[in-house]
Amino acid sequence: MTGWTGKAPGVDPGTPSVARMYDYFLGGEDNFPVDREAAEQVGRALPGVAEVARANRMFLRRAVRHVAGRGVGQFLDLGAGLPTQGNVHEIARSVNPDARVVYVDNDPVVTSHGRALLARDEGAAVVQADMRDPESVLGAPEVAELIDFDRPVCVLFVAVLHFLTDEEDPAGLLARYRDAVPPGSHVIFSHAAIEERRNAEVGDAYRSASAPFTARTREQVSAFLDGLTLVEPGVVRLHEWHPEGGEYVTDAGWTAVARK
């Protein structure tokens, strides 16, 4: 693991972290052997998972540019993951130089790296919190400092809600954030798609990790966005949302952008 000592409070190098596994899929070096082992198990169950992870990242970039181009200058990225090239604040500021971004993650590796990266950036911050506790997230001092809830906010749920079980009510969780933001706000959303042949094996790979894994159908994830207006083309595959050419074609994920 390059540049990371693993000494931050709460870091468990013996338990796979979904954030560090995702970093491995993206070709990063901020991961432990246990993360790589679990990621490779996912790769055996879902060949092409690294390409899917990169396709998800490309969707995020297209979606952030779209929302920033509609005049939204505030972004709340839930389950943000480890810093990588082309983060939300960089993408948003390519359209709106004054964009403000708060990243939220419960992994101390993520927050340590993010804070180091953004130490001199007055318009971006990192909060160590669990997105399943909206009151703690929305009440964090960094959020109060950077996000004005009287103006539109974009809330990102990118490749995170499939790490919540049905019992954790991901639809209800999204609704709590939806209700906290004003009209004109947006949600950027992606989620693992049901692939019956592989779901059990992928789920097994995540069973020992820091979060479970639950792929869902188009109908199930569409219901998460009730109360919002879908931006065309609606809920579609990763490569189908406003493609720019050269997208990796896959049926492994759903994407959407919706407006309040």
Side-chain angles (χ1 to χ4, degrees):
M1 188 175 222
T2 300
W4 175 247
T5 65
K7 295 180 180 178
V11 174
D12 179 5
T15 299
S17 157
V18 296
R20 298 193 305 262
M21 290 168 66
Y22 191 65
D23 173 70
Y24 177 72
F25 292 141
L26 291 173
E29 297 180 338
D30 295 312
N31 45 73
F32 294 117
V34 69
D35 305 310
R36 296 191 284 276
E37 181 180 347
E40 287 167 5
Q41 185 180 347
V42 173
R44 289 190 291 271
L46 183 62
V49 65
E51 287 80 3
V52 171
R54 288 190 284 270
N56 185 72
R57 197 74 191 173
M58 295 307 296
F59 158 73
L60 178 149
R61 295 174 185 176
R62 299 195 304 274
V64 168
R65 286 197 298 268
H66 176 93
V67 173
R70 270 61 186 172
V72 178
Q74 307 182 105
F75 296 80
L76 183 63
D77 188 357
L78 301 174
L82 282 156
T84 187
Q85 187 176 14
N87 288 295
V88 172
H89 67 283
E90 296 167 331
I91 303 163
R93 289 175 188 168
S94 70
V95 179
N96 178 355
D98 297 321
R100 297 185 169 204
V101 179
V102 176
Y103 299 98
V104 178
D105 207 287
N106 64 356
D107 188 317
V109 174
V110 169
T111 53
S112 178
H113 274 254
R115 286 169 179 163
L117 178 71
L118 300 173
R120 301 189 181 194
D121 192 324
E122 296 182 355
V126 179
V127 173
Q128 184 171 338
D130 195 319
M131 69 175 181
R132 292 170 292 190
D133 185 359
E135 288 72 25
S136 292
V137 171
L138 298 172
E142 297 91 340
V143 173
E145 180 179 352
L146 289 179
I147 304 295
D148 178 0
F149 286 95
D150 290 327
R151 296 168 47 227
V153 180
C154 179
V155 185
L156 289 87
F157 295 88
V158 176
V160 292
L161 291 185
H162 50 238
F163 295 121
L164 271 63
T165 65
D166 291 340
E167 290 72 25
E168 290 175 298
D169 188 19
L173 179 68
L174 191 151
R176 288 160 72 186
Y177 286 100
R178 177 200 68 204
D179 293 345
V181 297
S185 295
H186 285 66
V187 166
I188 294 176
F189 175 90
S190 69
H191 192 290
I194 283 283
E195 292 187 355
E196 295 295 348
R197 293 179 296 106
R198 300 170 178 165
N199 281 349
E201 295 176 41
V202 174
D204 286 344
Y206 278 102
R207 202 175 308 283
S208 63
S210 57
F213 176 87
T214 306
R216 294 181 171 95
T217 66
R218 186 176 186 275
E219 290 71 25
Q220 287 173 313
V221 301
S222 295
F224 292 174
L225 300 168
D226 284 351
L228 296 165
T229 300
L230 288 169
V231 173
E232 290 295 333
V235 178
V236 294
R237 303 289 186 177
L238 279 168
H239 59 283
E240 294 174 335
W241 200 89
H242 291 243
E244 297 174 344
E247 283 75 17
Y248 177 72
V249 176
T250 175
D251 60 359
W254 302 112
T255 61
V257 174
R259 182 179 64 252
K260 180 173 178 178

